[in-house]
Amino acid sequence: MSSSAAPLVRGSALARPLDFSYPSNRVAAAGSAGAALLALAFGRPWAQAAGVGGAAFLAWATARELDPDHPVTANAALPVAAAVALLGGAGNPLAGLAVLSGVRLIAGTTGEPATSADHAGLLLQSLLAGASGERAAALLVGTAPLLTPGAHSTLPAVGALMPTLTRRAGFSWGSALLAASVLPLARTLTAAEEVTSACDRASRPVRAAEVQLARHAAVITLGAGLLSRRTRGLVPLAAALLTVAARRAGSRS
């Protein structure tokens, strides 16, 4: 994972700034900006264009957590998410951010245990996602510490109980089809796989079992989003899972 990591940001299991000396990180920045500009060219308002660029970046970042050895999957997830967001609306960025934080903590790619500040941040993200109707994302980020060694805080899980205060449109056919295309590949996605990337801030490899658990949690979250018809906010997650599954299926053939 060090190939996507920036200089050390100690004391957090969540903070991972971009280091532009790595090609994949440059792809993320340029691709996200390009997706936003393309949306503007298609006549989308500035806010929607920013949402398209944000969805593209979140897909890239989520794939980096779920497939730390293979930046090519993140690079592929970026245009997939951008295309679906452009066609069906960018969705709710609160869901994408919550999912990213949840899978990052579960996968343990930084090598740091979650701090009290991390737990507070997870609680806030869970509260915001729940308040905006993104229940699946709120559950993932809220319960992530319960799935993480050394970070068994129940505090963030309280956010998943947040009642919906404002509900944005959560369904589009494009996002639903993208999510539905992933679920038949669940076995491929969640099968055990060796991981060799080093943690950002620990002198050890990322643990394969933790990455596998993050993939399980991600697939369950996507399924919950489909059942609740809240798929637009999960476009980055669906794009990331689809490209990871495609990479794994290709490597087996």
Side-chain angles (χ1 to χ4, degrees):
M1 201 65 178
S2 58
S3 61
S4 69
L8 300 186
V9 179
R10 295 192 180 279
S12 173
L14 300 179
R16 296 193 65 214
L18 290 175
D19 182 351
F20 291 108
S21 66
Y22 296 105
S24 180
N25 293 6
R26 296 195 294 271
V27 168
S32 301
L37 291 173
L38 183 62
L40 288 173
F42 272 82
R44 301 295 192 272
W46 279 99
Q48 288 186 20
V52 170
F57 179 81
L58 286 168
W60 175 89
T62 302
R64 291 299 290 128
E65 303 302 327
L66 294 171
D67 204 15
D69 282 355
H70 301 279
V72 65
T73 57
N75 296 345
L78 188 153
V80 171
V84 175
L86 183 61
L87 293 173
N92 189 338
L94 295 173
L97 286 169
V99 166
L100 174 59
S101 294
V103 297
R104 177 172 292 169
L105 185 64
I106 297 168
T109 53
T110 67
E112 291 274 9
T115 65
S116 56
D118 289 333
H119 289 150
L122 294 167
L123 171 62
L124 178 61
Q125 290 183 67
S126 187
L127 287 168
L128 291 174
S132 63
E134 300 290 349
R135 194 66 52 198
L139 283 168
L140 175 61
V141 71
T143 58
L146 302 178
L147 303 175
T148 306
H152 296 303
S153 172
T154 58
L155 177 63
V158 175
L161 303 176
M162 181 72 178
T164 300
L165 301 180
T166 175
R167 184 180 291 277
R168 300 173 59 176
F171 180 84
S172 70
W173 284 110
S175 63
L177 287 172
L178 177 63
S181 70
V182 173
L183 295 185
L185 304 171
R187 175 173 287 186
T188 299
L189 274 165
T190 57
E193 183 178 31
E194 182 182 4
V195 178
T196 61
S197 292
C199 292
D200 292 350
R201 298 187 292 278
S203 56
R204 61 169 178 83
V206 176
R207 295 187 177 107
E210 293 176 7
V211 172
Q212 184 182 20
L213 182 58
R215 291 175 180 175
H216 275 286
V219 170
I220 291 169
T221 299
L222 192 61
L226 267 172
L227 288 174
S228 60
R229 292 177 60 85
R230 304 291 299 182
T231 52
R232 286 179 65 204
L234 299 179
V235 163
L237 175 63
L241 287 171
L242 182 63
T243 56
V244 175
R247 193 270 304 163
R248 295 204 65 184
S251 66
R252 291 180 177 182
S253 61

